[in-house]
Amino acid sequence: TVIAIFQNEDRFLKEWLDFYRVLGVEHFYLFNNLSEDNYQEVLKPYIQAGLVELYDWPYVSQPGHEADWTKIQAAAYRQGLDLARGESKWVALIDTDEFIFPKQKDHLVDFLKEYEECSGILINWQLFGTSHVTRIPDHQLMIETLTMQAPVQSEVNTYCKSIVRPEKVKYCIEPHSMVHYPW
């Protein structure tokens, strides 16, 4: 399962959902944060197929106040984890512009089999940024367009993303940090 919060990202939701479906993700809990685009039209076939559960998350952050957004995002993740408990074995907490690439396996499910005894794993973030592209052309994929990565040792790559066993997570402090129950 994947949990994500989004705002005005209709252009890229299909690419992102299809990418994770190919990797073996079976379900998505998506939290819409005040979108004004055509996200419902994009998500409709996924909702009808039972792949996506969509929730409104109408909380406003003050422009330029990252701490506000962090609280809003962490609260959505906590709600998603509550929904996933008893339903999903593994949950990835990521953004809709983030793509996980297992290096040794073709599917996330196969990759996660090696971590059955763990309550969660952290995946290092590799920032790609805008690649000097002002706007991704229509009908072009994000992962084909944004190809310039920050140097691996760059400080911007110090963040991690979590894939967790939802029943083992006690609390989501912020989007990049979970408190786990003892194993």
Side-chain angles (χ1 to χ4, degrees), residues 16 68 73:
W16 183 80
D68 284 354
Q73 189 175 17

PDB file of all heavy atoms in Angstrom, residues 16 68 73:
ATOM      1  N   TRP A  16       2.240   8.297 -11.875  1.00  0.00           N
ATOM      2  CA  TRP A  16       2.688   7.861 -10.556  1.00  0.00           C
ATOM      3  C   TRP A  16       1.968   6.583 -10.119  1.00  0.00           C
ATOM      4  O   TRP A  16       2.605   5.618  -9.671  1.00  0.00           O
ATOM      5  CB  TRP A  16       2.445   9.015  -9.574  1.00  0.00           C
ATOM      6  CG  TRP A  16       2.900   8.797  -8.192  1.00  0.00           C
ATOM      7  CD1 TRP A  16       4.176   8.906  -7.699  1.00  0.00           C
ATOM      8  CD2 TRP A  16       2.075   8.439  -7.082  1.00  0.00           C
ATOM      9  NE1 TRP A  16       4.181   8.639  -6.346  1.00  0.00           N
ATOM     10  CE2 TRP A  16       2.909   8.361  -5.945  1.00  0.00           C
ATOM     11  CE3 TRP A  16       0.716   8.201  -6.932  1.00  0.00           C
ATOM     12  CZ2 TRP A  16       2.423   8.033  -4.688  1.00  0.00           C
ATOM     13  CZ3 TRP A  16       0.236   7.883  -5.677  1.00  0.00           C
ATOM     14  CH2 TRP A  16       1.089   7.798  -4.582  1.00  0.00           C
ATOM     15  N   ASP A  68       3.920  24.164   9.122  1.00  0.00           N
ATOM     16  CA  ASP A  68       2.479  23.955   8.953  1.00  0.00           C
ATOM     17  C   ASP A  68       2.212  22.776   8.018  1.00  0.00           C
ATOM     18  O   ASP A  68       1.397  21.906   8.308  1.00  0.00           O
ATOM     19  CB  ASP A  68       1.802  25.199   8.361  1.00  0.00           C
ATOM     20  CG  ASP A  68       1.604  26.314   9.355  1.00  0.00           C
ATOM     21  OD1 ASP A  68       1.870  26.123  10.552  1.00  0.00           O
ATOM     22  OD2 ASP A  68       1.171  27.394   8.916  1.00  0.00           O
ATOM     23  N   GLN A  73       0.746  17.109   6.574  1.00  0.00           N
ATOM     24  CA  GLN A  73       1.151  15.871   5.917  1.00  0.00           C
ATOM     25  C   GLN A  73       1.260  14.720   6.918  1.00  0.00           C
ATOM     26  O   GLN A  73       0.778  13.613   6.662  1.00  0.00           O
ATOM     27  CB  GLN A  73       2.479  16.081   5.196  1.00  0.00           C
ATOM     28  CG  GLN A  73       2.882  14.928   4.314  1.00  0.00           C
ATOM     29  CD  GLN A  73       4.148  15.227   3.529  1.00  0.00           C
ATOM     30  OE1 GLN A  73       4.903  16.140   3.849  1.00  0.00           O
ATOM     31  NE2 GLN A  73       4.387  14.451   2.492  1.00  0.00           N
TER      32      GLN A  73
END
